[in-house]
Amino acid sequence: MNDPKPNDLINWTEQIVLCQSAARAQKKHAMLSKAELRRFYTIERSADSPAVLTWTRNDASMDDADALCGCYVLRTNQTVLDASTI
């Protein structure tokens, strides 16, 4: 959907609907598990010999990502429809 032109703003009305899907949540959880090492852990290597690896999980970021699994947003100009119909 294209954004309205400035002259059309007087009549522009839209709804933004937050949707949740169990199937989408499962898919996102699978994707998070694969990306988890890259995105939610800090890995450090010591300068010692032999090298020692340590990792720390960023629980706050992981919890935020987990809470959003299965959520998506729809934007529509259909203001007469309720959220469940959209």
Side-chain angles (χ1 to χ4, degrees):
M1 178 182 313
N2 294 328
D3 288 334
K5 294 180 177 32
N7 293 339
D8 297 333
L9 287 177
I10 295 169
N11 297 321
W12 182 258
T13 306
E14 68 180 5
Q15 285 188 25
I16 297 177
V17 181
L18 174 64
C19 304
Q20 295 178 321
S21 164
R24 185 172 272 204
Q26 284 181 322
K27 180 180 175 182
K28 283 290 196 179
H29 279 291
M31 290 169 47
L32 280 176
S33 63
K34 292 178 183 177
E36 188 176 21
L37 280 175
R38 292 190 311 267
R39 295 174 54 196
F40 301 111
Y41 284 88
T42 301
I43 301 172
E44 297 176 358
R45 179 181 180 264
S46 71
D48 300 337
S49 182
V52 176
L53 293 178
T54 57
W55 59 90
T56 306
R57 179 176 156 170
N58 185 340
D59 289 329
S61 292
M62 185 66 181
D63 292 344
D64 290 345
D66 191 46
L68 293 174
C69 280
C71 295
Y72 57 100
V73 176
L74 294 177
R75 177 178 154 190
T76 180
N77 62 355
Q78 297 295 320
T79 58
V80 296
L81 303 175
D82 62 16
S84 63
T85 305
I86 294 172

